[in-house]
Amino acid sequence: RIALIYIVTPTYTRPSQKVDLTTRLSHAFQLAQGIHWIVVEDSDHKTTLVANLLSRTGLPYTHLHIPTPGHMKRQPHEKPWAKPRGVLQRNEGLRWLREELQSSNNLDGFLYFADDDNGYDLELFDEIRIIKRVGVWPVAFVGEVMVEKPLLKDGKIVGWDVAIKPEREFAVDMAGFAVSVKLLMDHPEAKFDFDQPPGYQETYFLKGLGLKKEDMEPKAKNCTQVLVWHTKTKEPVLIQEKILNRKGKHTDEGMEV
Ligand code: UDP
Ligand code: MN
Protein backbone atom coordinates (compact mmCIF):
# COMPACT_ATOMS: atom_id res chain seq x y z
CA ARG A 1 0.00 0.00 0.00
CA ILE A 2 1.38 3.44 -0.89
CA ALA A 3 1.87 6.05 1.83
CA LEU A 4 -0.79 8.77 1.90
CA ILE A 5 -0.04 12.37 1.04
CA TYR A 6 -2.28 14.70 3.07
CA ILE A 7 -2.73 17.87 1.06
CA VAL A 8 -4.02 20.98 2.85
CA THR A 9 -5.65 23.59 0.60
CA PRO A 10 -7.00 26.92 1.85
CA THR A 11 -9.65 28.33 -0.47
CA TYR A 12 -12.05 31.27 -0.71
CA THR A 13 -15.12 32.16 -2.76
CA ARG A 14 -14.49 33.96 -6.09
CA PRO A 15 -15.58 33.50 -9.72
CA SER A 16 -12.67 31.15 -10.62
CA GLN A 17 -12.82 29.03 -7.46
CA LYS A 18 -14.52 26.02 -9.05
CA VAL A 19 -12.35 25.83 -12.16
CA ASP A 20 -9.17 26.33 -10.13
CA LEU A 21 -9.98 23.65 -7.54
CA THR A 22 -11.31 21.22 -10.14
CA THR A 23 -8.91 21.49 -13.06
CA ARG A 24 -5.69 22.74 -11.44
CA LEU A 25 -5.88 20.60 -8.31
CA SER A 26 -8.39 17.75 -8.19
CA HIS A 27 -7.56 16.33 -11.63
CA ALA A 28 -3.86 16.19 -10.76
CA PHE A 29 -4.62 14.63 -7.37
CA GLN A 30 -6.87 11.98 -8.94
CA LEU A 31 -4.09 10.92 -11.32
CA ALA A 32 -1.44 10.99 -8.59
CA GLN A 33 -3.40 8.57 -6.34
CA GLY A 34 -2.84 7.98 -2.63
CA ILE A 35 -3.91 11.53 -1.78
CA HIS A 36 -6.19 12.66 1.04
CA TRP A 37 -7.34 16.19 0.28
CA ILE A 38 -8.05 18.53 3.20
CA VAL A 39 -9.89 21.57 1.85
CA VAL A 40 -10.40 24.45 4.27
CA GLU A 41 -12.76 27.20 3.21
CA ASP A 42 -12.15 30.78 4.35
CA SER A 43 -15.82 31.15 5.23
CA ASP A 44 -18.19 30.95 8.19
CA HIS A 45 -19.83 27.92 6.57
CA LYS A 46 -19.08 25.11 4.11
CA THR A 47 -20.37 26.17 0.69
CA THR A 48 -22.37 23.83 -1.54
CA LEU A 49 -20.09 24.71 -4.47
CA VAL A 50 -17.06 23.25 -2.69
CA ALA A 51 -19.06 20.35 -1.20
CA ASN A 52 -20.32 19.43 -4.69
CA LEU A 53 -16.95 19.53 -6.38
CA LEU A 54 -15.31 17.54 -3.59
CA SER A 55 -17.87 14.76 -3.79
CA ARG A 56 -17.41 14.63 -7.58
CA THR A 57 -13.63 14.07 -7.28
CA GLY A 58 -13.92 10.53 -5.94
CA LEU A 59 -10.90 11.39 -3.76
CA PRO A 60 -10.73 10.74 -0.02
CA TYR A 61 -11.25 14.23 1.39
CA THR A 62 -12.06 16.30 4.45
CA HIS A 63 -14.09 19.50 4.08
CA LEU A 64 -13.47 22.14 6.77
CA HIS A 65 -14.06 25.86 7.17
CA ILE A 66 -12.86 28.76 9.29
CA PRO A 67 -13.33 32.44 8.45
CA THR A 68 -10.50 34.98 8.45
CA PRO A 69 -11.68 37.93 10.57
CA GLY A 70 -11.98 41.26 8.74
CA HIS A 71 -9.02 42.91 10.46
CA MET A 72 -6.74 40.10 9.20
CA LYS A 73 -7.79 40.63 5.58
CA ARG A 74 -5.87 42.76 3.13
CA GLN A 75 -7.39 46.23 2.67
CA PRO A 76 -7.64 47.65 -0.89
CA HIS A 77 -4.80 50.16 -0.25
CA GLU A 78 -2.41 47.51 1.10
CA LYS A 79 0.30 45.69 -0.88
CA PRO A 80 -0.54 42.08 -1.88
CA TRP A 81 2.05 40.72 0.60
CA ALA A 82 1.04 43.05 3.48
CA LYS A 83 -1.07 40.37 5.16
CA PRO A 84 -0.49 36.61 4.89
CA ARG A 85 -3.36 34.62 3.35
CA GLY A 86 -4.72 31.22 4.32
CA VAL A 87 -3.08 31.24 7.78
CA LEU A 88 -6.08 30.21 9.89
CA GLN A 89 -7.17 27.75 7.20
CA ARG A 90 -3.80 25.94 7.11
CA ASN A 91 -3.80 25.81 10.93
CA GLU A 92 -7.30 24.34 10.90
CA GLY A 93 -6.10 21.68 8.44
CA LEU A 94 -3.18 20.92 10.78
CA ARG A 95 -5.52 20.66 13.76
CA TRP A 96 -7.71 18.13 11.94
CA LEU A 97 -4.73 16.14 10.65
CA ARG A 98 -3.05 15.86 14.05
CA GLU A 99 -6.32 14.72 15.62
CA GLU A 100 -6.80 12.17 12.84
CA LEU A 101 -3.25 10.82 13.19
CA GLN A 102 -3.51 10.69 16.98
CA SER A 103 -6.02 7.88 16.71
CA SER A 104 -4.27 6.06 13.87
CA ASN A 105 -1.23 3.81 14.22
CA ASN A 106 0.02 4.66 10.75
CA LEU A 107 2.48 7.57 10.59
CA ASP A 108 3.82 6.66 7.13
CA GLY A 109 2.27 9.65 5.40
CA PHE A 110 3.30 13.10 4.22
CA LEU A 111 1.95 16.64 4.50
CA TYR A 112 1.93 19.15 1.64
CA PHE A 113 0.33 22.61 1.41
CA ALA A 114 -1.24 23.16 -2.00
CA ASP A 115 -2.70 26.61 -2.63
CA ASP A 116 -5.77 26.58 -4.81
CA ASP A 117 -4.45 28.34 -7.91
CA ASN A 118 -1.01 26.78 -8.46
CA GLY A 119 -0.10 24.23 -11.16
CA TYR A 120 1.11 20.80 -10.04
CA ASP A 121 3.10 18.25 -12.11
CA LEU A 122 2.24 14.62 -11.33
CA GLU A 123 5.92 13.83 -10.73
CA LEU A 124 5.85 16.14 -7.71
CA PHE A 125 3.90 13.53 -5.77
CA ASP A 126 6.47 10.78 -6.55
CA GLU A 127 9.15 13.09 -5.14
CA ILE A 128 7.11 13.71 -1.97
CA ARG A 129 6.76 9.96 -1.38
CA ILE A 130 10.53 9.48 -1.09
CA ILE A 131 11.00 12.16 1.59
CA LYS A 132 12.44 10.99 4.93
CA ARG A 133 11.60 14.06 7.05
CA VAL A 134 11.49 17.21 4.89
CA GLY A 135 11.91 17.69 1.17
CA VAL A 136 12.43 20.93 -0.79
CA TRP A 137 12.43 21.78 -4.50
CA PRO A 138 12.20 24.73 -6.92
CA VAL A 139 8.99 26.75 -7.40
CA ALA A 140 8.38 28.77 -10.58
CA PHE A 141 6.83 32.26 -10.82
CA VAL A 142 7.24 33.21 -7.17
CA GLY A 143 9.29 35.95 -5.53
CA GLU A 144 9.22 38.00 -8.75
CA VAL A 145 11.58 35.62 -10.62
CA MET A 146 11.12 32.70 -13.04
CA VAL A 147 12.28 30.15 -10.45
CA GLU A 148 13.13 30.32 -6.77
CA LYS A 149 15.28 27.37 -5.77
CA PRO A 150 17.49 25.96 -3.04
CA LEU A 151 21.26 26.41 -3.50
CA LEU A 152 23.22 23.17 -3.36
CA LYS A 153 26.84 22.35 -2.62
CA ASP A 154 27.98 18.71 -2.76
CA GLY A 155 24.34 17.61 -2.82
CA LYS A 156 23.50 19.54 0.38
CA ILE A 157 21.34 22.64 0.70
CA VAL A 158 23.50 25.60 1.74
CA GLY A 159 21.24 28.55 0.92
CA TRP A 160 18.53 29.90 -1.33
CA ASP A 161 18.66 31.29 -4.86
CA VAL A 162 15.94 33.91 -4.39
CA ALA A 163 15.74 37.65 -5.07
CA ILE A 164 13.46 38.66 -2.17
CA LYS A 165 14.60 38.26 1.45
CA PRO A 166 17.39 35.69 0.84
CA GLU A 167 18.33 36.11 4.52
CA ARG A 168 15.34 34.00 5.57
CA GLU A 169 16.41 30.75 7.24
CA PHE A 170 14.07 28.87 4.88
CA ALA A 171 13.51 31.05 1.82
CA VAL A 172 11.08 28.60 0.27
CA ASP A 173 7.49 29.10 -0.88
CA MET A 174 4.59 27.15 0.64
CA ALA A 175 4.54 25.03 -2.54
CA GLY A 176 8.25 24.21 -2.29
CA PHE A 177 8.39 21.76 0.62
CA ALA A 178 6.66 18.77 2.19
CA VAL A 179 7.24 16.96 5.48
CA SER A 180 6.59 13.54 6.95
CA VAL A 181 3.57 13.34 9.24
CA LYS A 182 5.84 11.69 11.82
CA LEU A 183 7.80 14.96 12.06
CA LEU A 184 4.52 16.87 12.35
CA MET A 185 3.42 14.69 15.27
CA ASP A 186 6.82 15.00 16.98
CA HIS A 187 6.32 18.80 17.06
CA PRO A 188 2.70 19.30 18.08
CA GLU A 189 3.06 23.10 18.39
CA ALA A 190 4.31 23.77 14.85
CA LYS A 191 1.87 25.96 12.95
CA PHE A 192 1.46 29.23 11.04
CA ASP A 193 1.22 32.62 12.71
CA PHE A 194 -0.47 35.74 11.42
CA ASP A 195 1.95 38.08 13.22
CA GLN A 196 5.14 37.00 11.43
CA PRO A 197 6.82 39.54 9.08
CA PRO A 198 5.78 39.26 5.40
CA GLY A 199 7.35 36.21 3.74
CA TYR A 200 8.17 34.43 6.99
CA GLN A 201 5.26 31.93 7.22
CA GLU A 202 7.28 29.04 5.79
CA THR A 203 10.36 29.82 7.92
CA TYR A 204 8.22 30.06 11.06
CA PHE A 205 6.52 26.73 10.40
CA LEU A 206 9.72 24.85 9.48
CA LYS A 207 11.54 26.25 12.54
CA GLY A 208 8.57 25.08 14.61
CA LEU A 209 9.33 21.58 13.33
CA GLY A 210 12.84 21.91 14.80
CA LEU A 211 14.45 21.86 11.36
CA LYS A 212 17.82 23.21 10.24
CA LYS A 213 19.05 23.91 6.72
CA GLU A 214 21.14 20.72 6.90
CA ASP A 215 17.98 18.64 7.37
CA MET A 216 16.51 19.68 4.02
CA GLU A 217 16.43 16.88 1.43
CA PRO A 218 16.77 18.21 -2.14
CA LYS A 219 14.17 16.71 -4.48
CA ALA A 220 13.32 17.15 -8.19
CA LYS A 221 16.71 15.98 -9.54
CA ASN A 222 18.79 17.86 -6.97
CA CYS A 223 16.53 20.90 -7.33
CA THR A 224 17.13 21.26 -11.08
CA GLN A 225 13.53 20.52 -12.14
CA VAL A 226 10.36 22.62 -11.89
CA LEU A 227 7.39 20.49 -10.77
CA VAL A 228 5.19 23.25 -9.34
CA TRP A 229 4.25 26.68 -10.68
CA HIS A 230 2.95 29.54 -8.53
CA THR A 231 0.44 30.58 -11.18
CA LYS A 232 -2.36 33.06 -10.61
CA THR A 233 -5.75 32.97 -12.27
CA LYS A 234 -6.73 36.28 -13.84
CA GLU A 235 -9.99 37.65 -12.48
CA PRO A 236 -12.65 37.44 -15.18
CA VAL A 237 -14.05 40.75 -16.48
CA LEU A 238 -17.66 40.91 -15.27
CA ILE A 239 -18.60 44.50 -16.11
CA GLN A 240 -21.62 43.55 -18.24
CA GLU A 241 -22.71 40.98 -15.65
CA LYS A 242 -22.79 43.68 -12.99
CA ILE A 243 -24.87 45.95 -15.22
CA LEU A 244 -27.32 43.07 -15.81
CA ASN A 245 -27.39 42.21 -12.10
CA ARG A 246 -28.57 45.74 -11.33
CA LYS A 247 -31.49 45.10 -13.69
CA GLY A 248 -32.26 41.85 -11.88
CA LYS A 249 -30.73 39.51 -14.50
CA HIS A 250 -28.07 36.92 -13.59
CA THR A 251 -26.61 35.01 -16.55
CA ASP A 252 -25.73 32.15 -14.16
CA GLU A 253 -29.27 31.85 -12.78
CA GLY A 254 -29.83 28.21 -11.86
CA MET A 255 -26.27 27.26 -12.87
CA GLU A 256 -23.15 26.58 -10.85
CA VAL A 257 -20.11 28.22 -12.45
N1 UDP B 1 -6.87 32.45 0.54
C1 UDP B 1 -7.82 32.39 1.54
N2 UDP B 1 -8.48 33.55 1.89
C2 UDP B 1 -8.24 34.75 1.28
C3 UDP B 1 -7.26 34.80 0.27
C4 UDP B 1 -6.58 33.64 -0.07
O1 UDP B 1 -8.06 31.32 2.10
O2 UDP B 1 -8.88 35.76 1.64
C5 UDP B 1 -6.16 31.21 0.14
C6 UDP B 1 -6.16 31.00 -1.37
O3 UDP B 1 -7.31 30.31 -1.78
C7 UDP B 1 -4.87 30.24 -1.60
C8 UDP B 1 -3.97 30.74 -0.48
O4 UDP B 1 -4.81 31.31 0.52
O5 UDP B 1 -5.06 28.84 -1.48
C9 UDP B 1 -2.99 31.80 -0.97
O6 UDP B 1 -3.73 32.88 -1.53
P1 UDP B 1 -3.41 33.47 -2.98
O7 UDP B 1 -3.28 32.35 -3.95
O8 UDP B 1 -4.43 34.50 -3.29
O9 UDP B 1 -2.04 34.19 -2.69
P2 UDP B 1 -0.66 34.20 -3.47
O10 UDP B 1 0.32 33.63 -2.50
O11 UDP B 1 -0.79 33.37 -4.70
O12 UDP B 1 -0.43 35.62 -3.76
MN1 MN C 1 -1.82 31.67 -5.21
Side-chain angles (χ1 to χ4, degrees):
R1 195 184 48 169
I2 59 169
L4 275 184
I5 305 176
Y6 294 93
I7 297 186
V8 173
T9 299
T11 188
Y12 70 104
T13 299
R14 61 190 185 279
S16 68
Q17 185 182 30
K18 183 178 180 179
V19 64
D20 282 351
L21 284 170
T22 304
T23 67
R24 285 199 204 266
L25 279 77
S26 85
H27 292 171
F29 299 167
Q30 285 164 13
L31 288 166
Q33 306 191 346
I35 280 169
H36 182 119
W37 198 13
I38 304 166
V39 176
V40 191
E41 289 196 67
D42 184 349
S43 166
D44 60 11
H45 66 285
K46 296 187 215 176
T47 65
T48 53
L49 182 138
V50 172
N52 285 346
L53 80 86
L54 282 174
S55 75
R56 277 211 308 152
T57 64
L59 289 166
Y61 67 84
T62 302
H63 186 183
L64 305 169
H65 72 93
I66 184 170
T68 304
H71 70 274
M72 291 185 172
K73 288 206 171 128
R74 181 163 62 97
Q75 308 304 310
H77 65 271
E78 286 180 315
K79 295 270 195 291
W81 56 86
K83 294 212 171 88
R85 310 168 128 196
V87 171
L88 297 184
Q89 291 72 33
R90 290 188 198 96
N91 284 347
E92 174 65 4
L94 289 174
R95 183 201 61 72
W96 180 88
L97 180 55
R98 285 192 172 106
E99 202 177 289
E100 168 78 7
L101 295 168
Q102 204 75 60
S103 52
S104 105
N105 48 13
N106 181 3
L107 290 184
D108 277 344
F110 305 92
L111 163 68
Y112 181 56
F113 296 102
D115 284 357
D116 71 353
D117 58 347
N118 295 339
Y120 302 91
D121 192 292
L122 284 184
E123 286 177 23
L124 176 66
F125 307 103
D126 300 330
E127 295 295 299
I128 291 175
R129 280 183 226 285
I130 54 173
I131 287 170
K132 291 193 191 77
R133 297 208 304 150
V134 54
V136 285
W137 49 81
V139 179
F141 311 149
V142 72
E144 302 184 2
V145 293
M146 283 295 283
V147 194
E148 277 193 355
K149 54 191 171 302
L151 266 175
L152 272 71
K153 192 171 185 282
D154 304 327
K156 285 278 190 190
I157 286 158
V158 294
W160 311 95
D161 182 14
V162 302
I164 296 177
K165 301 193 180 182
E167 66 277 11
R168 286 175 290 167
E169 189 159 346
F170 302 106
V172 59
D173 183 70
M174 208 60 78
F177 70 90
V179 298
S180 74
V181 296
K182 169 85 168 53
L183 185 66
L184 187 75
M185 296 308 275
D186 287 344
H187 296 83
E189 301 300 318
K191 58 176 170 57
F192 297 95
D193 174 29
F194 188 77
D195 293 323
Q196 296 304 306
Y200 276 79
Q201 290 300 319
E202 295 85 353
T203 290
Y204 181 79
F205 179 70
L206 292 166
K207 281 168 83 169
L209 291 172
L211 292 165
K212 300 258 180 302
K213 222 174 274 158
E214 310 84 80
D215 299 321
M216 305 270 127
E217 301 155 38
K219 295 294 170 228
K221 296 211 162 72
N222 261 337
C223 299
T224 61
Q225 255 186 330
V226 170
L227 298 178
V228 56
W229 295 260
H230 186 259
T231 44
K232 282 180 177 295
T233 304
K234 185 183 169 296
E235 257 217 64
V237 177
L238 296 171
I239 298 170
Q240 295 301 327
E241 183 69 34
K242 275 170 195 141
I243 294 170
L244 290 169
N245 292 172
R246 282 201 291 275
K247 298 179 191 152
K249 177 172 165 151
H250 295 258
T251 64
D252 57 339
E253 175 98 52
M255 299 171 101
E256 189 185 73
V257 181

